[in-house]
Amino acid sequence: MTNNLSTAMSGTVSPPLLPLPDCVAELLSELGSPPRLAAHLRAVHDVAHQLVDWVEQRYPAVVFDREAVLFGAATHDVGKMMHLAELSGPGSAHEEAGQALLLGHGISPELARFAATHASWADARVGLEDLLVSLADKIWKNKRVPELEDLVVVRLAEATGRAAWEEFIALDGILAGIGDAADERLSFQASFPIYD
């Protein structure tokens, strides 16, 4: 494993980011992940931690799979290893490729799905976990997507019985706070090369 890859996945960095889960770091090392991809996955994983912590604190009655969200955030773009152009430009070929890659490495369909669902939140089959992974993948760089946020608000309002506007205000507050550190996360990601 290169020094860049190791640092991107778990080294001491600024801003302080949680390391990727060991199982994900091992997979990325085995596959020879580009350091920039690992840095991106780490940033989104860290933001997902903030989101799931917030959901658990504000909505203790909401049932969701915290570990699935964190794994999904840590692996959602793994398919970009096979579509390197999508590390620096648009494209969606990495989505199905990532799901197939994870399945091929023994990851369960329940966890591998996030590689394919993180950009298709409008699909009626996605659950709260999928929405949280999608949200983390947007807000890490302070990109606000009203359609996605509305879907999260609806799920939270249904779970609590509170008015949607109340849940919107709460969600808006946490997203604004997370978004404030976006420039630092973007600089962290950009400090790692695509090719190592």
Side-chain angles (χ1 to χ4, degrees), residues 6 21 28 49 60 72 81 83 89-90 99 125 139 142 154 186:
S6 178
L28 294 179
H49 255 281
M81 278 190 247
H83 299 279
Q99 183 177 26
R125 295 170 293 176
I139 201 61
N142 203 22
V154 166
L186 285 161

Side-chain angles (χ1 to χ4, degrees), residues 25-135:
E26 289 168 17
L27 178 64
L28 294 179
S29 295
E30 178 186 325
L31 295 171
S33 172
R36 183 167 301 164
L37 174 60
H40 170 68
L41 294 172
R42 184 175 179 187
V44 175
H45 173 259
D46 185 82
V47 166
H49 255 281
Q50 294 176 59
L51 289 173
V52 296
D53 287 349
W54 175 77
V55 171
E56 286 181 339
Q57 290 166 9
R58 180 168 167 85
Y59 307 97
V62 171
V63 177
F64 73 103
D65 188 338
R66 172 190 177 91
E67 294 309 312
V69 173
L70 297 177
F71 184 87
T75 60
H76 72 283
D77 273 349
V78 72
K80 289 186 177 182
M81 278 190 247
M82 293 160 329
H83 299 279
L84 289 175
E86 293 182 18
L87 272 172
S88 57
S92 60
H94 72 277
E95 294 161 14
E96 286 188 28
Q99 183 177 26
L101 178 69
L102 292 171
L103 290 170
H105 279 80
I107 304 300
S108 72
E110 295 78 26
L111 293 177
R113 78 177 194 262
F114 295 104
T117 64
H118 70 274
S120 56
W121 55 80
D123 188 313
R125 295 170 293 176
V126 302
L128 180 59
E129 293 87 355
D130 304 88
L131 295 175
L132 291 172
V133 170
S134 299
L135 194 56

